[in-house]
Short mmCIF file of all heavy atoms in Angstrom, two decimals:
data_model
loop_
_atom_site.label_atom_id
_atom_site.label_comp_id
_atom_site.label_asym_id
_atom_site.label_seq_id
_atom_site.Cartn_x
_atom_site.Cartn_y
_atom_site.Cartn_z
N GLY A 22 -36.44 -58.32 -23.29
CA GLY A 22 -34.99 -58.19 -23.46
C GLY A 22 -34.33 -57.49 -22.30
O GLY A 22 -33.29 -57.94 -21.80
N THR A 23 -34.92 -56.40 -21.85
CA THR A 23 -34.37 -55.66 -20.71
C THR A 23 -34.32 -56.56 -19.48
O THR A 23 -33.30 -56.59 -18.77
CB THR A 23 -35.22 -54.41 -20.43
OG1 THR A 23 -35.16 -53.55 -21.57
CG2 THR A 23 -34.72 -53.68 -19.20
N ASP A 24 -35.39 -57.31 -19.25
CA ASP A 24 -35.43 -58.19 -18.08
C ASP A 24 -34.35 -59.27 -18.13
O ASP A 24 -33.78 -59.63 -17.10
CB ASP A 24 -36.80 -58.86 -17.95
CG ASP A 24 -37.82 -57.99 -17.25
OD1 ASP A 24 -37.51 -56.84 -16.89
OD2 ASP A 24 -38.97 -58.47 -17.08
N VAL A 25 -34.09 -59.81 -19.30
CA VAL A 25 -33.13 -60.93 -19.37
C VAL A 25 -31.75 -60.51 -19.85
O VAL A 25 -30.87 -61.35 -20.03
CB VAL A 25 -33.67 -62.11 -20.22
CG1 VAL A 25 -34.97 -62.63 -19.64
CG2 VAL A 25 -33.85 -61.73 -21.67
N GLY A 26 -31.54 -59.20 -20.02
CA GLY A 26 -30.20 -58.70 -20.30
C GLY A 26 -29.76 -58.78 -21.76
O GLY A 26 -28.57 -58.91 -22.04
N VAL A 27 -30.73 -58.70 -22.67
CA VAL A 27 -30.39 -58.68 -24.10
C VAL A 27 -31.12 -57.50 -24.74
O VAL A 27 -32.00 -56.91 -24.14
CB VAL A 27 -30.76 -60.00 -24.82
CG1 VAL A 27 -30.01 -61.17 -24.19
CG2 VAL A 27 -32.25 -60.25 -24.82
N THR A 28 -30.76 -57.20 -25.97
CA THR A 28 -31.42 -56.11 -26.67
C THR A 28 -32.84 -56.51 -27.08
O THR A 28 -33.14 -57.70 -27.22
CB THR A 28 -30.65 -55.71 -27.94
OG1 THR A 28 -30.65 -56.82 -28.84
CG2 THR A 28 -29.21 -55.29 -27.61
N GLY A 29 -33.66 -55.52 -27.28
CA GLY A 29 -35.01 -55.78 -27.77
C GLY A 29 -35.00 -56.44 -29.13
O GLY A 29 -35.83 -57.30 -29.42
N SER A 30 -34.03 -56.06 -29.97
CA SER A 30 -33.97 -56.68 -31.31
C SER A 30 -33.61 -58.16 -31.21
O SER A 30 -34.16 -58.98 -31.96
CB SER A 30 -32.99 -55.93 -32.22
OG SER A 30 -31.68 -55.95 -31.70
N LEU A 31 -32.73 -58.52 -30.29
CA LEU A 31 -32.41 -59.94 -30.12
C LEU A 31 -33.62 -60.69 -29.57
O LEU A 31 -33.92 -61.81 -30.00
CB LEU A 31 -31.20 -60.13 -29.20
CG LEU A 31 -30.75 -61.57 -28.97
CD1 LEU A 31 -30.47 -62.28 -30.29
CD2 LEU A 31 -29.54 -61.62 -28.07
N ALA A 32 -34.34 -60.07 -28.65
CA ALA A 32 -35.55 -60.69 -28.12
C ALA A 32 -36.57 -60.92 -29.23
O ALA A 32 -37.23 -61.97 -29.28
CB ALA A 32 -36.15 -59.82 -27.01
N ARG A 33 -36.69 -59.99 -30.15
CA ARG A 33 -37.61 -60.15 -31.29
C ARG A 33 -37.15 -61.29 -32.21
O ARG A 33 -37.98 -62.03 -32.74
CB ARG A 33 -37.76 -58.84 -32.06
CG ARG A 33 -38.63 -57.83 -31.33
CD ARG A 33 -38.91 -56.59 -32.16
NE ARG A 33 -37.73 -55.75 -32.34
CZ ARG A 33 -37.26 -54.90 -31.44
NH1 ARG A 33 -37.86 -54.76 -30.27
NH2 ARG A 33 -36.20 -54.17 -31.69
N VAL A 34 -35.85 -61.45 -32.38
CA VAL A 34 -35.32 -62.56 -33.18
C VAL A 34 -35.68 -63.88 -32.51
O VAL A 34 -36.15 -64.82 -33.16
CB VAL A 34 -33.79 -62.44 -33.38
CG1 VAL A 34 -33.20 -63.72 -33.94
CG2 VAL A 34 -33.48 -61.26 -34.29
N TRP A 35 -35.45 -63.98 -31.21
CA TRP A 35 -35.81 -65.21 -30.48
C TRP A 35 -37.28 -65.51 -30.63
O TRP A 35 -37.67 -66.66 -30.85
CB TRP A 35 -35.47 -65.08 -29.01
CG TRP A 35 -34.01 -65.05 -28.69
CD1 TRP A 35 -32.97 -65.29 -29.53
CD2 TRP A 35 -33.43 -64.76 -27.42
NE1 TRP A 35 -31.78 -65.16 -28.86
CE2 TRP A 35 -32.03 -64.84 -27.55
CE3 TRP A 35 -33.96 -64.43 -26.18
CZ2 TRP A 35 -31.17 -64.62 -26.50
CZ3 TRP A 35 -33.10 -64.21 -25.12
CH2 TRP A 35 -31.71 -64.31 -25.28
N LYS A 36 -38.11 -64.48 -30.52
CA LYS A 36 -39.56 -64.66 -30.64
C LYS A 36 -39.90 -65.18 -32.03
O LYS A 36 -40.66 -66.13 -32.17
CB LYS A 36 -40.27 -63.34 -30.35
CG LYS A 36 -41.76 -63.42 -30.43
CD LYS A 36 -42.38 -62.07 -30.11
CE LYS A 36 -43.87 -62.07 -30.37
NZ LYS A 36 -44.45 -60.75 -30.15
N SER A 37 -39.35 -64.57 -33.06
CA SER A 37 -39.69 -64.97 -34.43
C SER A 37 -39.15 -66.36 -34.75
O SER A 37 -39.76 -67.10 -35.53
CB SER A 37 -39.17 -63.96 -35.45
OG SER A 37 -37.76 -63.99 -35.53
N ARG A 38 -38.05 -66.75 -34.13
CA ARG A 38 -37.47 -68.09 -34.35
C ARG A 38 -37.97 -69.12 -33.35
O ARG A 38 -37.60 -70.29 -33.44
CB ARG A 38 -35.94 -68.01 -34.26
CG ARG A 38 -35.33 -67.22 -35.39
CD ARG A 38 -33.83 -67.24 -35.31
NE ARG A 38 -33.27 -66.44 -36.39
CZ ARG A 38 -32.00 -66.09 -36.47
NH1 ARG A 38 -31.15 -66.47 -35.52
NH2 ARG A 38 -31.56 -65.37 -37.46
N ASN A 39 -38.79 -68.66 -32.41
CA ASN A 39 -39.32 -69.53 -31.37
C ASN A 39 -38.20 -70.28 -30.65
O ASN A 39 -38.20 -71.51 -30.55
CB ASN A 39 -40.35 -70.51 -31.95
CG ASN A 39 -41.11 -71.25 -30.87
OD1 ASN A 39 -41.35 -70.72 -29.80
ND2 ASN A 39 -41.49 -72.47 -31.15
N THR A 40 -37.26 -69.51 -30.16
CA THR A 40 -36.11 -70.09 -29.47
C THR A 40 -35.80 -69.28 -28.21
O THR A 40 -36.20 -68.12 -28.10
CB THR A 40 -34.88 -70.13 -30.40
OG1 THR A 40 -33.86 -70.91 -29.79
CG2 THR A 40 -34.33 -68.75 -30.71
N LEU A 41 -35.13 -69.92 -27.30
CA LEU A 41 -34.71 -69.26 -26.06
C LEU A 41 -33.47 -70.00 -25.56
O LEU A 41 -33.57 -71.12 -25.07
CB LEU A 41 -35.84 -69.33 -25.03
CG LEU A 41 -35.71 -68.48 -23.78
CD1 LEU A 41 -35.48 -67.02 -24.10
CD2 LEU A 41 -36.96 -68.63 -22.95
N PRO A 42 -32.29 -69.41 -25.72
CA PRO A 42 -31.06 -70.08 -25.33
C PRO A 42 -31.06 -70.49 -23.86
O PRO A 42 -31.41 -69.68 -22.99
CB PRO A 42 -29.97 -69.05 -25.62
CG PRO A 42 -30.56 -68.17 -26.68
CD PRO A 42 -32.02 -68.09 -26.34
N PRO A 43 -30.67 -71.73 -23.58
CA PRO A 43 -30.69 -72.24 -22.19
C PRO A 43 -29.91 -71.39 -21.20
O PRO A 43 -30.27 -71.33 -20.03
CB PRO A 43 -30.10 -73.64 -22.31
CG PRO A 43 -30.41 -74.06 -23.71
CD PRO A 43 -30.32 -72.79 -24.53
N ARG A 44 -28.86 -70.71 -21.63
CA ARG A 44 -28.07 -69.91 -20.69
C ARG A 44 -28.89 -68.76 -20.09
O ARG A 44 -28.50 -68.18 -19.08
CB ARG A 44 -26.79 -69.40 -21.34
CG ARG A 44 -26.99 -68.37 -22.41
CD ARG A 44 -25.65 -67.92 -23.01
NE ARG A 44 -25.82 -67.04 -24.11
CZ ARG A 44 -25.96 -67.40 -25.37
NH1 ARG A 44 -25.96 -68.66 -25.70
NH2 ARG A 44 -26.11 -66.50 -26.33
N HIS A 45 -30.05 -68.45 -20.69
CA HIS A 45 -30.91 -67.37 -20.19
C HIS A 45 -32.11 -67.88 -19.39
O HIS A 45 -32.87 -67.08 -18.86
CB HIS A 45 -31.40 -66.52 -21.36
CG HIS A 45 -30.32 -65.80 -22.08
ND1 HIS A 45 -29.76 -64.62 -21.61
CD2 HIS A 45 -29.64 -66.11 -23.21
CE1 HIS A 45 -28.80 -64.24 -22.44
NE2 HIS A 45 -28.72 -65.12 -23.41
N TRP A 46 -32.29 -69.18 -19.32
CA TRP A 46 -33.48 -69.75 -18.70
C TRP A 46 -33.68 -69.31 -17.25
O TRP A 46 -34.79 -68.95 -16.87
CB TRP A 46 -33.46 -71.27 -18.76
CG TRP A 46 -33.72 -71.82 -20.12
CD1 TRP A 46 -33.88 -71.14 -21.30
CD2 TRP A 46 -33.84 -73.20 -20.45
NE1 TRP A 46 -34.09 -72.02 -22.33
CE2 TRP A 46 -34.07 -73.29 -21.84
CE3 TRP A 46 -33.77 -74.37 -19.70
CZ2 TRP A 46 -34.24 -74.51 -22.49
CZ3 TRP A 46 -33.93 -75.57 -20.36
CH2 TRP A 46 -34.17 -75.65 -21.73
N ASN A 47 -32.64 -69.36 -16.45
CA ASN A 47 -32.79 -69.00 -15.02
C ASN A 47 -33.32 -67.58 -14.86
O ASN A 47 -34.21 -67.32 -14.05
CB ASN A 47 -31.48 -69.17 -14.26
CG ASN A 47 -31.14 -70.61 -14.00
OD1 ASN A 47 -32.02 -71.43 -13.77
ND2 ASN A 47 -29.87 -70.93 -14.03
N LEU A 48 -32.77 -66.66 -15.64
CA LEU A 48 -33.21 -65.27 -15.55
C LEU A 48 -34.63 -65.10 -16.10
O LEU A 48 -35.42 -64.33 -15.54
CB LEU A 48 -32.23 -64.36 -16.29
CG LEU A 48 -32.21 -62.89 -15.91
CD1 LEU A 48 -32.11 -62.68 -14.40
CD2 LEU A 48 -31.08 -62.18 -16.62
N VAL A 49 -34.97 -65.83 -17.16
CA VAL A 49 -36.33 -65.77 -17.70
C VAL A 49 -37.33 -66.23 -16.64
O VAL A 49 -38.36 -65.59 -16.42
CB VAL A 49 -36.45 -66.63 -18.98
CG1 VAL A 49 -37.90 -66.80 -19.39
CG2 VAL A 49 -35.65 -66.02 -20.12
#
């Protein structure tokens, strides 16, 4: 989350939902 500019809790939500919004792909 820190690396891609979101909270750790949001990163955990993405992980549990197996999702990654395209607007964050370049930074990922």
